[in-house]
Amino acid sequence: MYGENAVPAWARLPGARCRAVEHLAKLEGLKEFESLQGLEEDFFQALSIASEVIEIGAGTPLYREGEPSGAVYFMREGRVKLFRSLGGPKPRDQILGVLGGGSVLGFASAIEGLPQSQAATALTDCTLHAVFRDELLAVMERFPKAALRLTQNLAARSRELEDLVSNLVFHSAPQRVARLLLALATEEGRVTKRGVVFVPSLSRQEMAEATGISREALSRALSRLAQEDILNLDGKSITIVKPAELRSRT
């Protein structure tokens, strides 16, 4: 417990001033996570002490499919894609989701103590709080309410994967493209007089992987929407000129 009259042991050691500043920065960062809002102060203190802040650049793998799941990552800033690689005569990736700030990554595999069931790679520069599995389990044992909150976060991610399977099975390729565009625009777009403008964090190849279609099929779908004046394509930038019409295509 870290009440106002008790401080962590490391606070009395040489160099404590620098460590205290780092601790407070981690503490404030963790308190910004929407999924952790309302939890007790002692939980944030314990999680902050257990965590290390890491920064990775765009294109950097956070973890790979099949690797040991030694840590859980609380993403403070950035965008990460989750995917699985499919073998066969024509190997390809299937993107399982794109997660932004406030997300928790690697939790399911770490809790199970099994290798990573999917890979995670940064789409943008990212800042994350990494907590080793054993330390996170110890914190969860001390704070049942926080453990429940993290489990609810896992359940929400499970529902997203169910929605992904449903989308791939029950919707046509053009519908999947429309749904992806709307999702990306919601997370990354800005409203202008011309429409909702965004530069997707996913490349065209990754957009194809996210929708389960070929790169060529994606290009045809985007071109068709542009020809119908629903989209405007300008290099990497996409403008949704008619959001309501695009939504009707989902």
Side-chain angles (χ1 to χ4, degrees), residues 174 177-178 181 219-233 245-246 249:
V177 171
L181 290 170
S219 295
R220 288 195 297 271
L222 293 176
S223 296
R224 190 175 302 114
L225 291 169
Q227 290 168 4
E228 297 175 5
D229 295 325
I230 296 173
L231 298 181
N232 182 42
L233 304 175
E245 181 64 24
L246 183 62
R249 304 296 179 93

Side-chain angles (χ1 to χ4, degrees), residues 1 5 25 38 43 47 84 132 236:
M1 306 291 286
N5 296 318
F43 161 73
L47 190 62
R84 296 191 73 172
F132 284 117
K236 293 184 178 180

Side-chain angles (χ1 to χ4, degrees), residues 147-163:
L148 176 60
R149 191 72 64 81
L150 288 170
T151 302
Q152 290 171 333
N153 186 288
L154 178 60
R157 180 61 192 147
S158 178
R159 284 196 302 273
E160 291 174 0
L161 289 174
E162 291 173 359
D163 290 341

Side-chain angles (χ1 to χ4, degrees), residues 54 61-74 80-85 96 99 104-121 128-133 136 154 157 161:
I54 62 174
L62 182 61
Y63 51 80
R64 293 180 172 86
E65 186 178 347
E67 286 184 346
S69 53
V72 176
Y73 303 91
F74 295 78
V80 167
K81 68 171 181 177
L82 303 178
F83 63 98
R84 296 191 73 172
S85 297
L96 303 176
L99 303 184
V104 181
L105 296 87
F107 184 69
S109 294
I111 292 299
E112 289 183 300
L114 297 175
Q116 296 290 357
S117 61
Q118 53 195 236
T121 295
L128 309 100
H129 298 259
V131 185
F132 284 117
R133 174 183 184 272
L136 181 62
L154 178 60
R157 180 61 192 147
L161 289 174

Side-chain angles (χ1 to χ4, degrees), residues 142-190:
R142 288 177 55 196
F143 302 98
K145 186 177 179 181
L148 176 60
R149 191 72 64 81
L150 288 170
T151 302
Q152 290 171 333
N153 186 288
L154 178 60
R157 180 61 192 147
S158 178
R159 284 196 302 273
E160 291 174 0
L161 289 174
E162 291 173 359
D163 290 341
L164 172 64
V165 172
S166 176
N167 187 37
L168 293 174
V169 172
F170 297 114
H171 293 90
S172 67
Q175 287 177 314
R176 299 200 296 270
V177 171
R179 292 165 70 91
L180 176 65
L181 290 170
L182 289 170
L184 290 173
T186 298
E187 293 293 329
E188 305 171 6
R190 56 187 177 85

